[in-house]
Amino acid sequence: MKNTPWEQEFRAVWRREERFLQQYEDPSESILDQKIAEHVPEKLIDTLRAAFEKAVGLVFEKGSGVVMGEARREDRRQTYQVNEYAANLRETRKSLRAFSREASRAGQGSVLLSGAAGVGMGLLGIMLPDIPLLTALLMRCVYETAESFGFPCDRESERIYALRVIETALSEGEDLRRGNQALETFSQTGVWPDAAALDGQVKATARRLASAMLYSKALQNIPLVGVAGGTGDLLCLRRVRRYAAIKYQKRFLTARRLERM
């Protein structure tokens, strides 16, 4: 029996998700990271956590409109509505893929900007001023992906979801599997399997960002040599962007199926 377009798309995104989980389930630490870890002072770790927490908190205080811009948000909403109309009119793989194609364009400018900014500041040995920019670009990338699949980040529950996408994308091993399952539970039920408050999630995401970026930011703090550390911004944004596209597409497909049951 021939699979429906929905089943084909869902199977494809499920396979992408499994590849992501397997890739980061047991990552190996590079020799460079091991060397840097031996010389990273505890004070730097605390400074990074505080800087990321402040940056994430500031993004939420200013609101999603500041992250994306109202004109940009409206453009994505209109594109989503056009794609939704076409998919409802006739659900084919082509009409369903229109959403993921639009999402693939989300964050392209952010990726390029993060790479240029990280390398540029690495040349000068500047670390802390790069953190608010990286945080804003990460949030913009996730917000644009969410909007592409019809999930505007205006409500607190959607902002928590966006933060948990970032936290999970940068997690490893059991933390990655547990975070991924929590996102799945929310997508299917609208309820988190654990207590999820915005303030607590801001802190949790900031801690994960600080941990994921520790080695590259420590290296970026050294003039000239910091160029290598500055590329960490680019790799971080690519990883989050890839995972966000997977989770929002899967959530979108799940919501369509539940609506039609």
Side-chain angles (χ1 to χ4, degrees), residues 67-68 72 76 105-118 133-144 233-238 241:
V67 176
M68 287 182 61
R72 196 182 188 99
R76 288 203 169 271
R105 290 192 282 270
Q108 285 182 342
S110 298
V111 170
L112 295 175
L113 182 56
S114 69
L133 175 60
L134 173 62
T135 303
L137 292 176
L138 278 170
M139 295 309 305
R140 178 191 291 180
C141 182
V142 175
Y143 279 15
E144 287 184 351
D233 290 8
L234 178 64
L235 297 177
C236 173
L237 198 52
R238 280 181 174 172
R241 181 173 175 237

Side-chain angles (χ1 to χ4, degrees), residues 28-40 214-220 222 225-232 235:
S28 57
E29 193 176 61
S30 70
I31 296 177
L32 178 59
D33 286 348
Q34 294 174 18
K35 291 294 182 182
I36 295 174
E38 296 173 2
H39 302 285
V40 173
L214 176 61
Y215 299 145
S216 63
K217 289 302 173 189
L219 195 60
Q220 189 178 341
I222 306 172
V225 178
V227 171
T231 60
L235 297 177

Side-chain angles (χ1 to χ4, degrees), residues 79-94:
T79 301
Y80 170 77
Q81 290 169 357
V82 170
N83 289 337
E84 183 184 35
Y85 177 78
N88 289 338
L89 196 63
R90 186 183 179 196
E91 189 174 271
T92 63
R93 289 204 77 180
K94 182 178 180 181

Side-chain angles (χ1 to χ4, degrees), residues 116-140:
V119 171
M121 292 186 183
L123 277 170
L124 301 174
I126 300 173
M127 175 188 69
L128 291 180
D130 180 42
I131 290 176
L133 175 60
L134 173 62
T135 303
L137 292 176
L138 278 170
M139 295 309 305
R140 178 191 291 180

